[in-house]
Amino acid sequence: MLSKETLTKLFPDWEDGLYDAILNVAELKEAKAGTTLLKMGQNIKSAMLVVEGTIKLYQEDETGGEYFMYHLNPGEACAVTLVCNYHHEQSQVLAKAVTDIQYLAIPIEFMEKWLNEFKSWHYFVIKTYRSRYEELLKTIHEIAFKNMDERLEFYILKFVKQFGAIVNLTHQDIANDLNTSREVISRLLKKMEHNGWIIMNRNSFDWIKK
Amino acid sequence: MLSKETLTKLFPDWEDGLYDAILNVAELKEAKAGTTLLKMGQNIKSAMLVVEGTIKLYQEDETGGEYFMYHLNPGEACAVTLVCNYHHEQSQVLAKAVTDIQYLAIPIEFMEKWLNEFKSWHYFVIKTYRSRYEELLKTIHEIAFKNMDERLEFYILKFVKQFGAIVNLTHQDIANDLNTSREVISRLLKKMEHNGWIIMNRNSFDWIKK
DNA sequence: TTAATTGGGTGATATATATCACACTACAAT
DNA sequence: ATTGTAGTGTGATATATATCACCCAATTAA
């Protein structure tokens, strides 16, 4: 059950009335690791705030390709779902649960209302957009200017920052996230192994650079 | 000179007090076509609202590369300059005037203040971030999934939407904006010419597809 | 008018990545 | 113990793009 204590810990900057509003209208939902929470083109019915676990945000191609952009952690929100002026607004991103997660679903009817009502909500929305905008800039920087070896390194570093130095991903997982093929990732990881940046195991490797 | 009439036309959704605040503290500046308005890494001293002309926003590489992301038109603002919680915040984007422009420079001290004071300013900031976030998503989609021929077509279409079907850009201009080389653009344009999508001239071409 | 500069065309070659083919190994299922 | 499957390694080849070299044509400067 969702408590006010949990909320104050997750969202320390909010005003009191906002916690009450959330408790009234938000639904606490759960999802298993691997679940797709939001598909591209899907109508957005509710805002999504992360309570527990980690979500990965992707850009998705019509032909099935995916490109990983950033992680969402507890206390963070999916930016695209926060401002839906018009109903039937469609998602431009793909969101997947990486771990088992808990999240708050708030019907989008309240978004416009809360922007008027709660100053701290307003700030939260702006803060969210600003930080995600910056993540997208970084993503563009990597794809536009870097080769796959550097992009792979950035990718691994993002993972390590999130989950620690034991990277339990298969080569295929990584290839999917970077919209390339397993062979390419395998060869580049071999190089990193030769350079002494990683120690490879089956289903995982350890990041030991520096 | 900046008049209230001009402001109400450019920013019709604002509240009255906000126009006055702008008139008090904003400086109306001018810049010639081609001027660099904001460099990556540069400290942001003022928010930038476009009054007249068009600005192009880029992601910039340390080694001199550039990647064009989107246009800014009159009535729009540069998102990164709108929310600078801390002074000495550095720009993550490169902004260049495409045409001669006029813009409003508002010292960033007022940003935090206005968020509190003016509801319409708050909305403006959110609207700005939301729309630019979406532009970045489109950019990622193109770089991550499309080959140069399709990216070139998207690029031309953005230009045509802005300025009309006569594209007065050199091959080198386009190559710079897409972080590729002139030869690549020349060859792809030749293909488009063969396909009957464009008519080429020196220093320009006409987009006649469909 | 001549020279210089800029924009553009195009072959040859290099490189990064994608794709195909297949082999090998660890582990799980039976 | 046998079989199947998922994860990985690696050569061969294809393709997209980058880079180099050089040419020519149009425009501008002298």
Side-chain angles (χ1 to χ4, degrees):
Chain A
M1 202 46 233
L2 185 65
S3 73
K4 201 157 176 174
E5 284 74 45
T6 315
L7 286 181
T8 51
K9 266 180 213 154
L10 282 171
F11 308 103
D13 301 331
W14 287 1
E15 61 212 284
D16 218 57
L18 182 49
Y19 296 125
D20 296 329
I22 291 264
L23 289 167
N24 277 332
V25 305
E27 196 180 342
L28 182 64
K29 293 190 171 183
E30 307 206 335
K32 288 279 169 204
T35 314
T36 294
L37 302 162
L38 201 57
K39 268 206 179 92
M40 270 197 64
Q42 186 181 324
N43 284 345
I44 296 172
K45 285 179 218 135
S46 52
M48 196 160 65
L49 307 198
V50 184
V51 171
E52 180 68 40
T54 303
I55 294 172
K56 269 166 116 174
L57 269 280
Y58 294 86
Q59 174 71 240
E60 193 183 7
D61 188 33
E62 308 80 36
T63 63
E66 294 172 6
Y67 200 93
F68 169 63
M69 301 186 296
Y70 54 81
H71 292 285
L72 280 189
N73 287 311
E76 300 180 333
C78 176
V80 280
T81 64
L82 289 184
V83 188
C84 297
N85 301 319
Y86 320 100
H87 279 231
H88 310 302
E89 198 129 7
Q90 301 197 328
S91 171
Q92 309 287 344
V93 299
L94 167 66
K96 288 187 197 174
V98 209
T99 64
D100 289 356
I101 60 160
Q102 292 189 317
Y103 65 99
L104 292 170
I106 305 164
I108 53 169
E109 291 82 270
F110 294 97
M111 295 300 94
E112 183 80 12
K113 194 164 166 285
W114 288 3
L115 283 184
N116 278 308
E117 231 164 295
F118 302 114
K119 196 160 277 184
S120 59
W121 178 255
H122 222 149
Y123 278 100
F124 181 72
V125 172
I126 288 182
K127 207 180 72 180
T128 298
Y129 260 109
R130 177 176 167 81
S131 75
R132 297 317 149 182
Y133 180 92
E134 285 179 4
E135 296 287 348
L136 296 192
L137 285 180
K138 281 186 217 160
T139 304
I140 290 172
H141 193 265
E142 286 166 30
I143 321 181
F145 303 123
K146 307 296 183 186
N147 286 344
M148 199 51 86
D149 52 350
E150 291 190 78
R151 284 158 61 188
L152 175 57
E153 190 179 347
F154 287 131
Y155 177 86
I156 295 172
L157 288 175
K158 281 187 213 167
F159 185 99
V160 168
K161 203 176 163 195
Q162 266 287 310
F163 302 110
I166 300 171
V167 182
N168 51 338
L169 295 168
T170 67
H171 301 183
Q172 187 65 64
D173 290 337
I174 300 173
N176 291 340
D177 280 9
L178 294 177
N179 193 46
T180 180
S181 65
R182 181 197 56 84
E183 296 92 320
V184 171
I185 298 299
S186 287
R187 291 192 238 256
L188 291 174
L189 285 177
K190 260 276 157 274
K191 270 192 201 168
M192 289 188 176
E193 193 182 32
H194 285 141
N195 294 342
W197 298 4
I198 61 173
I199 295 171
M200 298 230 306
N201 315 299
R202 190 187 174 84
N203 289 314
S204 79
F205 57 88
D206 303 358
W207 181 253
I208 55 169
K209 190 180 175 186
K210 260 189 263 176
Chain B
M1 200 49 230
L2 187 64
S3 72
K4 203 157 177 174
E5 284 75 45
T6 315
L7 286 180
T8 52
K9 266 180 209 153
L10 281 172
F11 310 102
D13 301 332
W14 287 0
E15 60 211 286
D16 218 55
L18 183 49
Y19 296 125
D20 296 329
I22 292 263
L23 290 168
N24 277 331
V25 305
E27 195 180 344
L28 182 64
K29 293 190 171 183
E30 306 207 336
K32 287 281 169 203
T35 314
T36 294
L37 302 162
L38 202 57
K39 266 206 180 89
M40 270 195 65
Q42 185 180 325
N43 284 345
I44 296 171
K45 285 178 220 137
S46 52
M48 194 161 65
L49 308 196
V50 184
V51 172
E52 180 68 40
T54 303
I55 293 171
K56 269 165 119 175
L57 268 281
Y58 294 86
Q59 174 70 243
E60 193 182 6
D61 189 33
E62 308 80 36
T63 62
E66 296 174 2
Y67 200 93
F68 169 63
M69 301 186 297
Y70 54 79
H71 292 285
L72 280 189
N73 287 311
E76 299 179 334
C78 176
V80 280
T81 64
L82 290 183
V83 188
C84 297
N85 301 319
Y86 321 100
H87 277 231
H88 309 301
E89 196 130 12
Q90 299 196 328
S91 173
Q92 309 288 346
V93 299
L94 167 66
K96 288 187 197 172
V98 209
T99 63
D100 289 355
I101 61 160
Q102 292 189 317
Y103 65 99
L104 292 171
I106 305 166
I108 53 169
E109 293 82 89
F110 294 97
M111 296 299 94
E112 183 80 13
K113 193 163 166 284
W114 289 3
L115 283 183
N116 280 308
E117 232 165 293
F118 303 113
K119 197 159 276 184
S120 58
W121 178 255
H122 222 149
Y123 276 100
F124 180 73
V125 172
I126 289 183
K127 206 180 74 181
T128 299
Y129 260 108
R130 177 177 168 80
S131 76
R132 296 316 149 183
Y133 180 94
E134 285 180 4
E135 296 287 347
L136 295 192
L137 284 180
K138 281 186 216 161
T139 304
I140 291 173
H141 194 266
E142 285 165 30
I143 323 180
F145 303 124
K146 307 296 184 186
N147 287 343
M148 200 50 88
D149 52 348
E150 291 189 78
R151 284 159 61 190
L152 175 57
E153 190 179 347
F154 286 130
Y155 176 87
I156 296 171
L157 288 174
K158 282 187 213 166
F159 184 99
V160 169
K161 204 177 163 194
Q162 266 287 313
F163 302 109
I166 299 171
V167 182
N168 50 339
L169 296 168
T170 68
H171 300 184
Q172 188 65 62
D173 291 336
I174 300 175
N176 291 341
D177 281 8
L178 294 176
N179 193 45
T180 181
S181 64
R182 180 195 58 83
E183 296 92 319
V184 171
I185 298 299
S186 286
R187 291 192 240 257
L188 290 175
L189 285 177
K190 259 275 158 274
K191 269 192 202 168
M192 289 187 175
E193 192 180 33
H194 285 142
N195 294 342
W197 297 4
I198 61 173
I199 296 170
M200 299 231 302
N201 315 300
R202 191 187 173 85
N203 289 315
S204 79
F205 57 87
D206 302 359
W207 181 255
I208 56 169
K209 189 179 175 187
K210 261 188 262 175

